[in-house]
Amino acid sequence: MDRPRFEDIRSYDEFIKYYWYLEELQAICKALHLEYVGGKAELNNVIKSYFDGVIIPHKPKAAIKSNIETLTLETRLIDCGFTFGQRFRDFYIQVTGDKNFKFTADMVATVKAVKEKQDSGFTLGDLLDIKLGKKAYKKFDNSSCQWNRFLKDFCADEINDIYPNKLKAASKFWAILRSSDLPKVYSREFIESHKNEINSL
């Protein structure tokens, strides 16, 4: 089954049967004059609201400039113009002593939520506690990682050892699955029922 055009979809329940890339969601939202900034989960919520009759317009966000030169664990995230750049990575390296310090997906989701809520009480120390698992604020929505999971499961299944280029084969199967209304998860049954189709692609 081919995926219909967005214009032909009449409900959110129908919409979520199909896989949409982030760029496609952004284009849909822009065309409808909706908020188009955010990850897949956020834009899916914007589109759900649209189908529910609620319009969430795009709001340009002004850049926050900060005069704070010295960072501490008590520094409020909103006040310091936090980004995931080198300045803040260096700060956490200094605080933790971990030269390989990396930001996590939950930290990214948390910062986004803190900025959206304008939570002025949230500090750089709180963000470190998110990484260390001492606090929870906003969890990363990994529903947008369907292709990565499909590819991993495809490569792990020995029945697919017949394909010399597993990435290329997986992408062909994924293209079929993505356009269908089937759940976007790997299964042997799906591979077996579509292997003749990919040979002709």
Side-chain angles (χ1 to χ4, degrees):
M1 177 189 296
D2 289 334
R3 187 182 69 175
R5 297 181 312 150
F6 177 80
E7 296 79 10
D8 298 328
I9 294 175
R10 296 290 169 245
S11 71
Y12 184 71
D13 286 339
E14 182 183 357
F15 173 79
I16 59 172
K17 288 181 180 178
Y18 303 98
Y19 184 90
W20 304 86
Y21 289 111
L22 176 61
E23 296 78 13
E24 293 175 311
L25 297 176
Q26 290 169 333
I28 290 167
C29 290
K30 283 182 181 180
L32 297 172
H33 306 290
L34 304 174
E35 178 58 76
Y36 57 84
V37 176
K40 289 186 67 173
E42 290 85 3
L43 296 186
N44 271 315
N45 284 332
V46 169
I47 292 171
K48 181 180 187 306
S49 296
Y50 168 79
F51 279 112
D52 290 340
V54 178
I55 302 299
I56 301 175
H58 171 64
K59 294 180 183 175
K61 294 178 174 64
I64 299 173
K65 294 183 179 178
S66 169
N67 295 323
I68 297 175
E69 293 184 16
T70 304
L71 300 174
T72 70
L73 290 175
E74 288 74 39
T75 300
R76 296 186 302 183
L77 188 138
I78 293 292
D79 295 340
C80 66
F82 181 87
T83 67
F84 289 98
Q86 195 61 44
R87 177 186 183 208
F88 291 93
R89 184 171 177 272
D90 288 343
F91 165 73
Y92 284 118
I93 288 173
Q94 181 183 19
V95 167
T96 63
D98 179 3
K99 293 182 180 179
N100 297 314
F101 184 92
K102 291 183 173 64
F103 296 110
T104 66
D106 283 346
M107 292 173 82
V108 173
T110 294
V111 168
K112 185 166 191 172
V114 167
K115 289 182 176 181
E116 285 174 355
K117 293 176 184 177
Q118 287 295 295
D119 184 347
S120 60
F122 193 89
T123 68
L124 296 180
D126 292 327
L127 188 60
L128 180 58
D129 285 343
I130 298 293
K131 179 178 177 66
L132 299 175
K134 295 179 180 178
K135 288 185 180 177
Y137 192 97
K138 176 77 174 178
K139 288 290 194 185
F140 173 70
D141 180 359
N142 63 4
S143 63
S144 60
C145 303
Q146 293 167 313
W147 155 247
N148 291 336
R149 282 197 300 269
F150 180 88
L151 177 61
K152 181 179 177 182
D153 293 343
F154 181 90
C155 292
D157 192 337
E158 66 271 10
I159 70 161
N160 299 315
D161 289 346
I162 61 170
Y163 301 104
N165 186 334
K166 284 189 179 180
L167 178 59
K168 185 175 180 181
S171 67
K172 288 181 177 182
F173 280 111
W174 177 251
I176 297 168
L177 182 61
R178 172 184 173 262
S179 296
S180 77
D181 61 358
L182 297 171
K184 306 305 179 255
V185 294
Y186 176 84
S187 73
R188 275 193 174 190
E189 293 77 17
F190 174 80
I191 298 301
E192 291 291 348
S193 63
H194 292 86
K195 62 184 179 184
N196 291 334
E197 289 177 53
I198 78 149
N199 292 333
S200 63
L201 293 177

